[in-house]
Amino acid sequence: MRSFGIYPDHTMFPFVLKACVFLKNLRLGESIHGCIIRLGLDFDLFTGNALLNMYAKFQSLQLNGGCKVSAFNVFDGMPKSVIRLDSVPKVLEMMPERDVVSYNTVIAGNAQNGMYEEALRMVREMGNANMKPDSFTLSSVLPIFAEYVDVMKGKEIHGYAIRHLFDSDCYIGSSLIDMYANCARIEDSCHVFNLLPTRDDISWNSIIAACVQNGVFDEGLKLFRLMLTARVKPRDVTFSSIMPACAYLTTLHLGKQLHGYIIRGGFDDNLFIASSLIDMYAKCGNIRAARWIFDQMEHHDMVSWTAIIMGHALHGHAHDALSLFKQMEKDGVKPNYVSFIAVFTACSHAGLTDKAWRFFNSMSQNHGIKPGLEHYAAMADLLGRAGKLNEAYEFISSMHFAPSGSIWSTLLSACRVHKNLELAEKVAKEIFKVDPENVGAYVLMSNMYAASRRWKEAAKMRIFMKKKGIRKEPACSWIEVKNSVHTFISGDKSHPLYDGIFQALKDLLEQIEREGYIPDTNEDFHDVDEEQKKYLLFSHSERLALAFGIISTPAGTTIRITKNIRVCVDCHTAIKLISKVVQREIIVRDNSRFHHFKDGVCSCRDYW
DNA sequence: GTAGGGTTAG
């Protein structure tokens, strides 16, 4: 057009600048900017707004590469390479007039670059200039209050939206869903979603992510199915949002189905999705598949490294976990807060206390990460498991913040494993001081008293619980057979195939007794005779699930069971022998790790 | 000419 000698007018540049944004070509954009100035069109409002938008977008690109330098208001202190990007405030200052769009563009630019206070300042300035926030403004501001976890301010915006009839706006809808979800107000998220007159893929993604992030996994999965029924196409974000639900519920068949979708949709090179797949396979007991995905990836970021390290840690592969951590550092990927939790978990499941101490010290010294509650908890857990109970006690007492009930609880369960009632009493006192309703502590103390035949004190604990009206969650195991999940609680006879299960349990008992199995009744704390105890052990939830798995799958199939609390010692012994007599691999995930039983031995080498 | 959603955590 220009070669024909035709001059562009003010209507043209917004489109040309937009093309530069799509092409991610800053140099081209800058030369167009030059062209605009030469033609004297930089005083045009629409052209100015398009320039603002372009520079703001390139600012995001630059910042996503690492440094979070404020390019909007800092000029002097900026590194040379970023100086060109300072053009947003310059363009803004030069503009002869500004409208709502100018402000919205700058507000969004600041908000997307993490400069929340500057964004909010611009909102006030906009008000001072007699311009009212519109739906664009609100959907840029809401994510700020989501990030701040400030539900009061978020609600204020929601109210403003309702008063100005913006609440049926799809964009504001997703921001509201996300804001409420971030503030743990999942009911409010659902309420907003249900009231939306129109929903696009992002509204669906927002509500699904909201459910999963708040632990409402069944609802998340239900909404995912509804999304498919509504013929809304799932996107990359959908998969990385829903996958953690499969990981948490150990629904391997669903995870695999989603993996199929992901491959067919061509999403398998997405970093977020790959990390969520690694986590899902690891948590569903298939660490080999998790590792395969990790090894297939072209680039690894900190999250994917952390996910695979945690995966190996949970499966008791401390050596793999730690050598991966070394490799990660060698690759120049910086570990974060979560990565160290994974490292401590690895050390914990292998009893590597010395190594853990070295990591703990290097975490703050070499990586500048201040140990948080989770790190202290992991270290305390590790020391406790290794039997270093007093060291753990000292460690917890020396924390630079007040210990929580949960951190003392890790030590209490270590006292149970190592049968130290004296320290347990001391620890329990600390727990009841900060958390008088801690169910686990009452149950553990009651069991420990019972184990030392101090029935009166055991009963006292139970009575305390009753008085306070707190109940422990029943022990529960589940297993997936033919794409459906079967749940068992201890002593449960309600399964339709119970007769077969009972017969199988009896047969298995006979077979393992021939292998030398002697019931270990030490951990059963009912004041009843030995024969009855044997029966109680016999009907533990993991045994029921296992017996059901054996009779309902073909010979040789790997059996995967999930349990909500720690596997009991007797069941651990029994399952080892069962894996030998039925010649099957049995994988049990309890609340802290995986046990791979095969040929009479367990991967945890009886340390868990 | 301007806006919203994602992965790892005893």
Side-chain angles (χ1 to χ4, degrees):
Chain A
M1 177 182 161
R2 294 184 66 198
S3 71
F4 278 117
I6 302 171
Y7 276 88
D9 67 0
H10 70 279
T11 60
M12 183 159 308
F13 285 104
F15 300 109
V16 180
L17 290 169
K18 191 158 201 153
C20 297
V21 172
F22 271 110
L23 294 171
K24 299 188 176 142
N25 192 335
L26 175 60
R27 283 186 163 280
L28 187 61
E30 284 175 326
S31 77
I32 307 257
H33 189 179
C35 194
I36 289 168
I37 293 171
R38 283 194 298 280
L39 291 165
L41 290 173
D42 49 335
F43 292 108
D44 175 65
L45 179 61
F46 277 46
T47 307
N49 285 344
L51 277 168
L52 281 179
N53 182 48
M54 181 188 74
Y55 285 117
K57 288 282 150 59
F58 284 122
Q59 184 65 37
S60 310
L61 286 178
Q62 177 80 16
L63 290 178
N64 286 339
C67 62
K68 284 239 167 193
V69 185
S70 161
F72 288 98
N73 44 20
V74 185
F75 188 82
D76 293 328
M78 282 176 64
K80 285 273 184 294
S81 62
V82 196
I83 272 183
R84 300 180 308 168
L85 303 181
D86 190 47
S87 313
V88 174
K90 262 199 282 182
V91 172
L92 193 64
E93 290 309 319
M94 297 288 287
M95 283 170 68
E97 53 167 342
R98 302 172 188 175
D99 68 353
V100 180
V101 176
S102 325
Y103 278 101
N104 284 344
T105 306
V106 179
I107 290 165
N110 278 297
Q112 287 160 0
N113 289 307
M115 293 179 307
Y116 304 132
E117 287 309 314
E118 179 62 11
L120 295 176
R121 196 186 67 75
M122 292 301 294
V123 176
R124 285 189 291 272
E125 195 179 309
M126 176 181 184
N128 293 339
N130 275 328
M131 273 172 257
K132 275 192 173 168
D134 65 2
S135 65
F136 285 80
T137 327
L138 302 192
S139 47
S140 294
V141 170
L142 276 166
I144 299 177
F145 297 130
E147 184 69 30
Y148 284 168
V149 196
D150 187 343
V151 74
M152 291 309 290
K153 285 268 165 50
K155 272 182 99 98
E156 256 176 59
I157 305 284
H158 192 179
Y160 183 95
I162 293 171
R163 287 194 301 279
H164 292 79
L165 305 177
F166 295 142
D167 56 326
S168 55
D169 183 294
C170 202
Y171 284 78
I172 292 180
S174 356
S175 296
L176 281 170
I177 290 167
D178 184 57
M179 183 276 293
Y180 282 123
N182 242 336
C183 301
R185 304 271 291 246
I186 184 65
E187 294 87 2
D188 291 319
S189 297
C190 292
H191 187 68
V192 171
F193 180 77
N194 290 333
L195 288 180
L196 274 180
T198 52
R199 298 163 186 156
D200 63 3
D201 52 345
I202 298 188
S203 345
W204 282 99
N205 290 339
S206 304
I207 191 66
I208 290 170
C211 288
V212 176
Q213 287 160 1
N214 281 278
V216 199
F217 303 112
D218 289 332
E219 187 66 16
L221 289 169
K222 197 181 100 191
L223 284 159
F224 176 70
R225 292 195 190 94
L226 276 172
M227 176 182 183
L228 296 184
T229 318
R231 298 209 167 273
V232 179
K233 250 192 149 173
R235 297 178 26 154
D236 46 2
V237 179
T238 323
F239 293 108
S240 45
S241 305
I242 195 71
M243 199 61 76
C246 302
Y248 187 87
L249 300 170
T250 50
T251 46
L252 184 58
H253 73 279
L254 239 172
K256 278 183 175 171
Q257 235 174 311
L258 289 170
H259 192 182
Y261 255 116
I262 287 163
I263 293 170
R264 288 194 295 278
F267 297 127
D268 42 342
D269 58 350
N270 179 298
L271 260 177
F272 286 79
I273 291 177
S275 300
S276 70
L277 277 170
I278 292 169
D279 182 58
M280 184 277 292
Y281 278 115
K283 294 232 170 89
C284 289
N286 197 338
I287 182 68
R288 282 179 60 191
R291 184 57 186 265
W292 185 83
I293 289 173
F294 180 81
D295 289 339
Q296 291 288 310
M297 291 169 72
E298 258 176 58
H299 294 289
H300 297 125
D301 66 347
M302 186 268 298
V303 175
S304 48
W305 278 107
T306 303
I308 192 66
I309 292 169
M310 185 54 104
H312 279 294
L314 291 174
H315 284 266
H317 306 160
H319 179 76
D320 290 319
L322 297 183
S323 80
L324 280 163
F325 183 75
K326 229 182 234 167
Q327 191 65 44
M328 168 181 173
E329 285 189 300
K330 226 169 105 190
D331 279 17
V333 178
K334 276 191 188 163
N336 80 339
Y337 193 92
V338 186
S339 318
F340 277 98
I341 297 173
V343 167
F344 296 139
T345 307
C347 295
S348 178
H349 292 313
L352 308 174
T353 46
D354 295 344
K355 275 210 169 114
W357 272 123
R358 258 176 278 151
F359 281 119
F360 189 80
N361 293 326
S362 116
M363 180 171 81
S364 42
Q365 281 162 18
N366 305 330
H367 299 277
I369 299 170
K370 245 177 79 179
L373 190 71
E374 285 102 329
H375 300 115
Y376 278 102
M379 277 301 287
D381 181 53
L382 190 148
L383 294 169
R385 277 176 206 272
K388 303 190 172 182
L389 299 177
N390 291 319
E391 198 175 332
Y393 186 85
E394 290 305 317
F395 178 72
I396 296 175
S397 310
S398 71
M399 282 169 28
H400 57 77
F401 43 81
S404 64
S406 65
I407 209 163
W408 283 121
S409 297
T410 62
L411 182 54
L412 186 62
S413 64
C415 290
R416 201 265 308 254
V417 173
H418 295 283
K419 304 192 168 61
N420 185 335
L421 184 55
E422 203 184 322
L423 186 61
E425 286 181 318
K426 212 161 118 187
V427 172
K429 241 183 222 161
E430 298 288 348
I431 295 178
F432 295 138
K433 248 193 257 169
V434 286
D435 184 8
E437 310 252 301
N438 192 313
V439 198
Y442 284 106
V443 175
L444 261 165
M445 284 313 289
S446 159
N447 288 351
M448 285 188 77
Y449 283 127
S452 10
R453 321 225 161 256
R454 286 162 65 174
W455 304 114
K456 262 191 192 160
E457 279 145 305
K460 217 166 96 186
M461 287 291 141
R462 300 276 169 183
I463 291 165
F464 264 135
M465 282 172 65
K466 222 177 209 168
K467 266 193 191 156
K468 287 189 181 284
I470 48 180
R471 289 187 56 157
K472 69 163 182 167
E473 224 181 301
C476 159
S477 298
W478 57 99
I479 181 171
E480 232 183 73
V481 171
K482 295 194 189 88
N483 293 350
S484 65
V485 178
H486 299 256
T487 311
F488 298 88
I489 56 173
S490 196
D492 194 349
K493 295 179 183 169
S494 63
H495 195 276
L497 293 179
Y498 181 72
D499 292 342
I501 294 170
F502 184 77
Q503 191 54 47
L505 279 170
K506 259 173 61 180
D507 295 346
L508 286 168
L509 186 63
E510 271 172 32
Q511 291 182 58
I512 60 177
E513 276 179 336
R514 277 201 293 276
E515 293 285 330
Y517 167 76
I518 299 161
D520 175 0
T521 47
N522 279 333
E523 277 200 34
D524 201 295
F525 309 112
H526 299 83
D527 190 9
V528 293
D529 65 45
E530 291 297 308
E531 194 53 32
Q532 243 178 309
K533 274 189 178 179
K534 190 167 139 185
Y535 175 73
L536 285 170
L537 286 172
F538 181 85
S539 55
H540 274 181
S541 63
E542 57 266 55
R543 299 251 191 122
L544 295 171
L546 176 56
F548 173 69
I550 290 174
I551 59 171
S552 47
T553 55
T557 315
T558 298
I559 292 180
R560 297 168 206 275
I561 294 168
T562 308
K563 188 180 180 188
N564 65 342
I565 56 170
R566 193 176 178 274
V567 186
C568 100
V569 173
D570 179 68
C571 287
H572 194 265
T573 312
I575 297 172
K576 279 196 289 188
L577 294 168
I578 292 172
S579 75
K580 191 175 168 191
V581 301
V582 301
Q583 278 298 300
R584 294 220 204 190
E585 200 176 340
I586 301 164
I587 301 173
V588 179
R589 165 180 156 181
D590 70 5
N591 59 350
S592 75
R593 63 165 295 154
F594 282 94
H595 300 263
H596 290 247
F597 300 92
K598 205 182 168 188
D599 298 327
V601 287
C602 177
S603 61
C604 75
R605 291 193 222 99
D606 302 334
Y607 180 90
W608 84 97

